[in-house]
Amino acid sequence: MNFSKSTLVPLLGMTVVALFIILAYVSHNVFLDKLLVCGFILLMVLFVKLRAGGTQNKDNSESVNDPL
């Protein structure tokens, strides 16, 4: 399993956000509604970054292999 930094960081970020949401839910946090909205926005940004990182790596590998 070869994980690059562009894949590992967003996955770690998504995991941390999910853990904060679960922790707030279990402890009956007053600000759970605000945390859910912020968490959803962060998860979407991290997901887009994860998707963009995968296509960026493919583009770089193709350009290196193509002779000019």
Side-chain angles (χ1 to χ4, degrees):
M1 294 174 63
N2 187 10
F3 288 114
S4 66
K5 185 178 179 182
S6 62
T7 304
L8 191 61
V9 172
L11 287 176
L12 184 65
M14 287 182 200
T15 305
V16 168
V17 169
L19 287 174
F20 276 132
I21 291 172
I22 291 169
L23 181 66
Y25 179 75
V26 169
S27 66
H28 303 290
N29 194 351
V30 176
F31 300 109
L32 182 62
D33 57 339
K34 292 173 180 46
L35 187 62
L36 285 174
V37 173
C38 293
F40 179 74
I41 293 170
L42 283 173
L43 287 174
M44 289 298 109
V45 168
L46 290 170
F47 181 72
V48 167
K49 186 174 180 176
L50 180 67
R51 298 285 294 168
T55 58
Q56 184 181 17
N57 290 340
K58 289 179 185 176
D59 293 341
N60 288 341
S61 64
E62 289 175 1
S63 64
V64 169
N65 293 334
D66 289 335
L68 294 177

